[in-house]
Amino acid sequence: MPDSFLRIADNVASIAKGFQLRGWALGTSGNLSAVVEREPLKLAMSPSGVDKGELTAEQILMIDEHASVISAHHAKPSDESPLHIRIVKERGAGAVLHTHSIWNTMLSDIYAADGGLSFEGYEMLKGLEGVKTHEHREWLPILENSQDMLALADSIGETLGQHKDAHGFLLRRHGLYSWGRNLAQAKRHIEIIEFLLEAVGRTLFIGNRRQK
Amino acid sequence: MPDSFLRIADNVASIAKGFQLRGWALGTSGNLSAVVEREPLKLAMSPSGVDKGELTAEQILMIDEHASVISAHHAKPSDESPLHIRIVKERGAGAVLHTHSIWNTMLSDIYAADGGLSFEGYEMLKGLEGVKTHEHREWLPILENSQDMLALADSIGETLGQHKDAHGFLLRRHGLYSWGRNLAQAKRHIEIIEFLLEAVGRTLFIGNRRQK
Amino acid sequence: MPDSFLRIADNVASIAKGFQLRGWALGTSGNLSAVVEREPLKLAMSPSGVDKGELTAEQILMIDEHASVISAHHAKPSDESPLHIRIVKERGAGAVLHTHSIWNTMLSDIYAADGGLSFEGYEMLKGLEGVKTHEHREWLPILENSQDMLALADSIGETLGQHKDAHGFLLRRHGLYSWGRNLAQAKRHIEIIEFLLEAVGRTLFIGNRRQK
Amino acid sequence: MPDSFLRIADNVASIAKGFQLRGWALGTSGNLSAVVEREPLKLAMSPSGVDKGELTAEQILMIDEHASVISAHHAKPSDESPLHIRIVKERGAGAVLHTHSIWNTMLSDIYAADGGLSFEGYEMLKGLEGVKTHEHREWLPILENSQDMLALADSIGETLGQHKDAHGFLLRRHGLYSWGRNLAQAKRHIEIIEFLLEAVGRTLFIGNRRQK
């Protein structure tokens, strides 16, 4: 394994542990990837069914653009690898992260009929790449969940094509996907969107009304 | 003590600390067990009345199928050992875990009159052994609490017989029991059910209505 | 300093850090004591105005029954030392702990007009010393807050006299006091009462009604 | 770098990590400063766009009163450095801290039309420098957010002039600023105000009514 892979794998494992501690990746949920090479595409990918609080750098797999394992591991990559690969291709992302938080699960359901929800007027939005002011309006699309990963990848591809500026999306009653140029930026985006979801969710409770 | 017992005890202590940190085992509540041998049954069991944040592998007892201590300890095993033993026998489980979270306590009371509550449509359900899709409907039975452990064990036996597919159950105003083939799987099930209870509980707050 | 004092001081510092991490002792709030000797009374006491997340065993003071420092420290003991001393005398406690959590602050206000609140039917109650069943009804008295520590100590003395079975009390918009035979038991009592307060508080939110 | 700078930088990094862990500085949000020298003014300042959970003492910049970097770093200081400098000058503060919590974000919006919110009757208020009793009434001003940092600094200067006793202020949908004689005191103030915001916020939920 090249040095760069080991550094990336270490970083992936450390982010996974942090997410698990926050309750964003309980029960082996959540998955993480980062681009190791573009041509041909090689991705560092978290294995399937592993406790994210116990994940080690040694367990991180290397997969190709068909989600086949090309490192010397006998483990299975995350079932959702095709979604990661699609996002990398559509967005030119260097890293893709997926969390299952209480708030993203709840809001992905509450706003499902609207096809998404928006955040507006929050300073926190400035942390999203390319956003310069809190006056920005960020649309977070919500997609129906599915167990057909290839169909879901296509549906994600379509959504990303329609919402060129989106920094993430929700799968209904499933979780949040976000990405970035590298792992640090993808982690930043996840933290920001999780923060905004919780702020909007808790605000809903006050008046049982949608955020205006 | 055989090596395998020491490894198991270490794992039990580490899971206990994690649960205590999350607030799922405050005030010496919660208990944990894992099968060391099947014939005759030998269980690694957490002692009674111990701070789960301070629990060490050395404190883990070995008990037989009558909940008698067979290791060289002078401590008392958890009062709820008969419940663990019954679950191990009914389900062939390799590990049984019991948590006292805020959310499991509250929902065990709110839904008591219904005899249980169901989770449906959550991706997180796929983490429960044998569940292949989020379209699964999981029934979590609720039993009346009791201080008569043998009667409670019988009531659990009956409930498990009626609900062959259940991955856990609640004792009213008491807590959650779940189990698995081994400690890792039992921990995964606990995390998933705790997550779903919190998601359902918080959703209730929005509209003061039962989840449909 | 005798060895026993050092062991106690170490334990006090470790409990303080844990409480601060849980948000039960933010902003230098909270204080902790443990009996070192009964006759004449010597108490290990946390100093005034110290960040509980940074508290070290070396900073723990020794005070006498008049709250005068008798160890070689130039620090001031917690202003609330007279309350600790009174509780030690009234209850024969070996340790007294005081937390400022969000939930204890809120509920001490919501139930102030009733003079207290009760917990009933929770398995968690069994962790309170002397309680054998969840069918127990625990009364948690609420006292008006005051900056006159001697008057407050008298008011606490009176309340403890009236409620011989109480394991703790709330000061209005101030916090929770509990105690035990030793630090481990006092910590257990704090965790249990904090748990019950949060469970009752969150249940209130569902229906904006008092717990029946 | 002088020793004192290194000690301060270490302290800044450690407070940053703690805030990030509590969710008060997610997504590279939040910033921290401390006075190194008064004449001419030299401030230790956190760099722009850095994960506060990963911040090291080595990354802390030294800036002058024009927010220009005077240490041998190639990094950019936080965009909000002019706000820190203004607070240091107006209040003679030795340290300024800024957090983005869920509760400060929500309450800065809910109470924006009132120009602020007040806390009264909480024991926790006694931890604010100069406050001797829980009967104190603390006014926390709320300012409109802006991306024009110099205009915002002026607006802060004006607010601080009008509210001589305020220990902090909120920027709408942006966050909390507080300060102190040194980092320990500023951290104490942040923790107290965050605590009070959460207590007031959760109390709002019970009755969907403003705190009386």
Side-chain angles (χ1 to χ4, degrees):
Chain A
M1 288 290 173
D3 263 20
S4 64
F5 180 81
L6 296 177
R7 271 199 307 275
I8 287 171
D10 216 54
N11 204 344
V12 166
S14 148
I15 292 172
K17 262 190 241 297
F19 284 178
Q20 208 266 357
L21 199 64
R22 288 198 195 273
W24 296 353
L26 293 177
T28 78
S29 74
N31 38 66
L32 312 91
S33 70
V35 171
V36 180
E37 224 179 279
R38 291 273 171 195
E39 293 288 343
L41 186 64
K42 292 182 185 170
L43 272 185
M45 171 63 66
S46 56
S48 179
V50 170
D51 185 331
K52 297 305 176 294
E54 308 281 332
L55 185 65
T56 63
E58 289 68 34
Q59 290 175 290
I60 307 299
L61 313 174
M62 185 133 77
I63 62 170
D64 65 16
E65 67 169 337
H66 308 293
S68 300
V69 177
I70 54 179
S71 51
H73 286 91
H74 295 289
K76 208 168 139 291
S78 164
D79 285 349
E80 298 177 30
S81 299
L83 313 188
H84 286 248
I85 293 166
R86 181 63 66 102
I87 294 166
V88 164
K89 289 186 171 176
E90 292 283 341
R91 286 296 203 245
V96 179
L97 301 175
H98 169 44
T99 48
H100 285 228
S101 72
I102 293 285
W103 294 101
N104 76 36
T105 299
M106 285 172 59
L107 271 68
S108 72
D109 199 31
I110 293 171
Y111 288 98
D114 300 350
L117 76 161
S118 61
F119 307 115
E120 193 170 358
Y122 291 101
E123 180 70 15
M124 197 54 108
L125 289 164
K126 272 180 66 191
L128 298 174
E129 197 62 18
V131 175
K132 299 292 181 209
T133 167
H134 62 284
E135 287 164 354
H136 173 75
R137 182 167 183 276
E138 177 79 17
W139 178 252
L140 186 69
I142 301 173
L143 286 76
E144 248 339 291
N145 192 24
S146 168
Q147 297 310 324
D148 179 340
M149 290 299 149
L150 298 181
L152 197 49
D154 284 346
S155 156
I156 287 168
E158 199 184 325
T159 297
L160 295 182
Q162 281 162 10
H163 302 282
K164 294 286 187 196
D165 295 331
H167 292 82
F169 60 83
L170 295 171
L171 297 180
R172 188 177 176 197
R173 287 192 170 197
H174 177 159
L176 168 66
Y177 270 89
S178 188
W179 52 83
R181 198 172 49 240
N182 51 35
L183 280 164
Q185 194 179 96
K187 173 172 182 267
R188 195 176 88 207
H189 288 167
I190 285 282
E191 288 185 2
I192 289 168
I193 300 173
E194 288 287 0
F195 176 94
L196 292 168
L197 287 165
E198 182 173 343
V200 166
R202 289 193 183 274
T203 301
L204 272 182
F205 288 179
I206 293 181
N208 192 18
R209 287 158 303 155
R210 291 281 180 90
Q211 187 195 17
K212 277 189 278 288
Chain B
M1 287 290 172
D3 263 21
S4 65
F5 179 80
L6 297 177
R7 271 198 308 274
I8 286 170
D10 216 54
N11 204 344
V12 165
S14 149
I15 292 171
K17 263 191 240 298
F19 283 178
Q20 210 266 356
L21 198 65
R22 288 198 195 273
W24 296 353
L26 293 177
T28 76
S29 74
N31 38 65
L32 312 89
S33 70
V35 172
V36 179
E37 225 179 277
R38 290 272 171 198
E39 294 287 344
L41 185 64
K42 293 182 184 171
L43 272 185
M45 170 64 64
S46 56
S48 178
V50 171
D51 186 331
K52 296 307 175 295
E54 307 283 333
L55 186 64
T56 62
E58 289 69 34
Q59 291 175 290
I60 306 298
L61 313 174
M62 186 134 77
I63 62 171
D64 66 17
E65 67 170 336
H66 307 295
S68 299
V69 178
I70 51 178
S71 51
H73 286 91
H74 294 289
K76 205 168 140 294
S78 166
D79 285 348
E80 299 177 30
S81 299
L83 313 188
H84 287 247
I85 293 166
R86 181 63 65 103
I87 294 165
V88 163
K89 289 187 171 176
E90 291 284 340
R91 285 299 203 242
V96 178
L97 301 175
H98 168 44
T99 49
H100 284 228
S101 72
I102 294 286
W103 294 102
N104 76 37
T105 299
M106 286 173 59
L107 271 70
S108 71
D109 199 31
I110 294 171
Y111 288 97
D114 300 349
L117 77 161
S118 62
F119 306 115
E120 193 169 359
Y122 290 102
E123 180 70 14
M124 196 56 106
L125 289 163
K126 271 180 66 191
L128 298 175
E129 198 61 18
V131 176
K132 300 293 182 208
T133 167
H134 62 284
E135 288 165 350
H136 173 76
R137 185 167 181 274
E138 177 79 16
W139 179 251
L140 185 69
I142 301 174
L143 286 76
E144 245 345 287
N145 193 23
S146 168
Q147 297 310 326
D148 180 340
M149 289 301 148
L150 297 181
L152 198 49
D154 284 345
S155 156
I156 287 168
E158 199 183 325
T159 297
L160 295 182
Q162 280 161 11
H163 302 281
K164 295 284 187 198
D165 295 331
H167 292 82
F169 59 83
L170 295 171
L171 297 180
R172 189 178 177 197
R173 287 192 170 198
H174 177 159
L176 168 67
Y177 270 89
S178 189
W179 52 84
R181 199 171 49 239
N182 50 35
L183 280 164
Q185 194 180 97
K187 173 173 182 268
R188 195 176 88 208
H189 288 168
I190 286 281
E191 289 185 1
I192 289 169
I193 300 172
E194 288 287 359
F195 177 94
L196 292 169
L197 287 166
E198 182 173 343
V200 166
R202 291 193 181 274
T203 301
L204 273 182
F205 289 179
I206 293 181
N208 191 18
R209 286 159 303 155
R210 291 282 180 90
Q211 186 194 16
K212 278 189 281 286
Chain C
M1 289 291 173
D3 263 22
S4 65
F5 180 81
L6 297 176
R7 271 198 309 273
I8 287 170
D10 216 55
N11 204 344
V12 166
S14 149
I15 293 171
K17 262 191 242 296
F19 284 178
Q20 209 266 357
L21 198 65
R22 288 198 195 272
W24 296 353
L26 293 176
T28 78
S29 74
N31 38 66
L32 312 91
S33 71
V35 172
V36 179
E37 225 178 277
R38 290 271 171 197
E39 292 290 343
L41 186 63
K42 293 182 185 171
L43 272 185
M45 170 64 64
S46 56
S48 179
V50 170
D51 185 332
K52 296 306 176 294
E54 308 282 331
L55 185 65
T56 63
E58 289 69 34
Q59 290 175 290
I60 307 299
L61 313 174
M62 186 133 77
I63 63 170
D64 66 15
E65 67 171 335
H66 307 293
S68 300
V69 177
I70 51 178
S71 52
H73 286 91
H74 295 289
K76 206 168 140 295
S78 166
D79 285 348
E80 299 176 30
S81 299
L83 313 188
H84 287 248
I85 293 166
R86 181 62 66 102
I87 294 165
V88 164
K89 288 186 174 178
E90 291 284 340
R91 285 297 202 243
V96 179
L97 301 175
H98 169 44
T99 48
H100 284 228
S101 72
I102 294 286
W103 293 102
N104 78 37
T105 299
M106 286 172 60
L107 271 69
S108 71
D109 200 31
I110 293 171
Y111 288 96
D114 300 350
L117 76 160
S118 62
F119 307 115
E120 194 170 356
Y122 290 102
E123 179 71 14
M124 196 55 109
L125 289 164
K126 271 180 62 191
L128 298 175
E129 197 62 19
V131 176
K132 300 292 181 209
T133 166
H134 63 285
E135 285 164 355
H136 173 75
R137 184 168 182 275
E138 177 79 15
W139 179 252
L140 186 70
I142 301 173
L143 286 77
E144 248 338 292
N145 193 23
S146 168
Q147 297 309 325
D148 180 339
M149 289 301 147
L150 297 181
L152 197 49
D154 284 345
S155 156
I156 287 168
E158 199 183 325
T159 298
L160 295 183
Q162 281 162 12
H163 302 282
K164 294 286 187 197
D165 296 332
H167 292 82
F169 59 84
L170 295 171
L171 297 179
R172 189 179 176 197
R173 286 193 172 200
H174 177 158
L176 168 67
Y177 270 89
S178 188
W179 53 85
R181 199 171 48 239
N182 50 34
L183 281 163
Q185 193 179 98
K187 174 174 182 265
R188 195 177 87 207
H189 288 168
I190 286 281
E191 288 184 2
I192 288 168
I193 300 172
E194 289 287 359
F195 177 94
L196 293 169
L197 287 165
E198 183 173 343
V200 166
R202 290 193 182 273
T203 301
L204 273 182
F205 288 178
I206 293 181
N208 191 18
R209 286 159 304 154
R210 291 284 180 89
Q211 186 194 14
K212 278 189 280 283
Chain D
M1 288 291 175
D3 263 21
S4 65
F5 179 81
L6 296 177
R7 271 198 307 275
I8 287 170
D10 216 55
N11 204 344
V12 166
S14 148
I15 293 172
K17 262 190 241 297
F19 284 179
Q20 210 265 358
L21 198 65
R22 288 199 196 272
W24 296 353
L26 293 177
T28 78
S29 75
N31 38 67
L32 312 91
S33 71
V35 172
V36 179
E37 224 179 278
R38 290 270 171 199
E39 291 290 342
L41 186 64
K42 293 181 184 170
L43 271 184
M45 171 62 65
S46 57
S48 177
V50 169
D51 185 331
K52 296 308 175 293
E54 308 281 332
L55 185 65
T56 63
E58 289 69 34
Q59 289 175 292
I60 307 297
L61 313 173
M62 185 134 77
I63 62 171
D64 65 16
E65 66 169 338
H66 308 293
S68 298
V69 177
I70 53 178
S71 52
H73 286 92
H74 294 290
K76 206 167 140 294
S78 164
D79 284 348
E80 298 176 30
S81 299
L83 313 187
H84 287 246
I85 292 165
R86 181 62 67 102
I87 294 166
V88 164
K89 289 186 173 176
E90 292 284 341
R91 286 296 202 242
V96 178
L97 301 175
H98 169 44
T99 47
H100 284 229
S101 72
I102 294 285
W103 293 102
N104 78 36
T105 299
M106 285 172 59
L107 270 68
S108 72
D109 199 31
I110 293 171
Y111 288 97
D114 301 349
L117 76 160
S118 62
F119 307 114
E120 194 170 357
Y122 290 102
E123 179 71 14
M124 197 54 109
L125 289 163
K126 273 181 63 192
L128 298 175
E129 197 62 18
V131 176
K132 300 292 180 210
T133 166
H134 63 284
E135 285 164 356
H136 173 75
R137 184 167 181 276
E138 178 79 16
W139 179 252
L140 186 70
I142 302 173
L143 286 77
E144 242 347 283
N145 192 25
S146 168
Q147 297 309 323
D148 180 341
M149 290 299 148
L150 297 181
L152 196 49
D154 284 345
S155 156
I156 288 168
E158 200 182 322
T159 296
L160 294 183
Q162 282 162 10
H163 302 282
K164 294 285 186 197
D165 296 331
H167 291 83
F169 59 83
L170 294 171
L171 297 180
R172 187 178 178 198
R173 286 194 171 197
H174 177 159
L176 167 67
Y177 269 90
S178 188
W179 51 85
R181 199 172 50 239
N182 51 35
L183 280 164
Q185 193 179 99
K187 174 175 181 266
R188 194 177 88 207
H189 288 168
I190 286 281
E191 288 184 1
I192 288 168
I193 301 172
E194 289 287 1
F195 177 94
L196 293 168
L197 287 165
E198 183 173 342
V200 166
R202 290 193 183 272
T203 301
L204 273 182
F205 288 178
I206 292 182
N208 192 18
R209 286 158 305 154
R210 291 281 181 90
Q211 187 194 14
K212 277 190 280 287

